Structures are given as structure tokens and as C-alpha cells.
Amino acid sequence: MIIYEIICSNLAGDVSVFLSNMRKASSFVAKNKKLFETCDIKKHVIPNNKCEIIKFLNRENGIG
């Protein structure tokens, strides 16, 4: 499964948003470019398995 992560940053800090396709990711960046200083799109390829997807999404908070 491919998940696109958009990492946006401004003075308040970083925000991550996860979307399912590149078109939605690009649209999100275009709509919110005035709110953030920078927005980067990262492509993640993870196994098509519920456990692996949940583990990926919870990776930063230490769950999994």
C-alpha cells in the first residue's frame, strides 16, 4: 500500500497529514500553502496488511 505523508511546518511547529493518493496530497498542499512555510510530500510503501498500516501510523507515539 502506498501512503503519502505531507509534512507542513510553520512557526507553531510541524504537522503531518496522511493521504491515500498523490492527487489528494498535491491538492492539500495547494489549498494550504498560505498557512505553512514549507510542505513536503513523502511517499511510503508499506505492506498491505492492517497490522503493518496501524504500526506505521502509530510509529511516532511509540505504540505498536
Side-chain angles (χ1 to χ4, degrees):
M1 174 176 215
I2 297 173
I3 295 178
Y4 293 92
E5 179 181 12
I6 300 144
I7 302 169
C8 299
S9 49
N10 60 13
L11 296 175
D14 293 343
V15 175
S16 290
V17 177
F18 298 96
L19 297 168
S20 60
N21 65 45
M22 185 62 163
R23 187 171 148 212
K24 289 180 183 179
S26 297
S27 176
F28 178 86
V29 171
K31 287 179 184 176
N32 295 294
K33 65 182 175 183
K34 291 183 180 179
L35 296 175
F36 300 103
E37 293 175 9
T38 61
C39 285
D40 298 320
I41 299 175
K42 288 186 179 181
K43 179 181 176 180
H44 300 280
V45 180
I46 56 174
N48 199 10
N49 170 324
K50 280 186 187 180
C51 291
E52 292 299 321
I53 294 168
I54 291 169
K55 197 182 298 184
F56 169 77
L57 293 174
N58 288 324
R59 72 189 185 279
E60 290 185 8
N61 62 11
I63 298 174

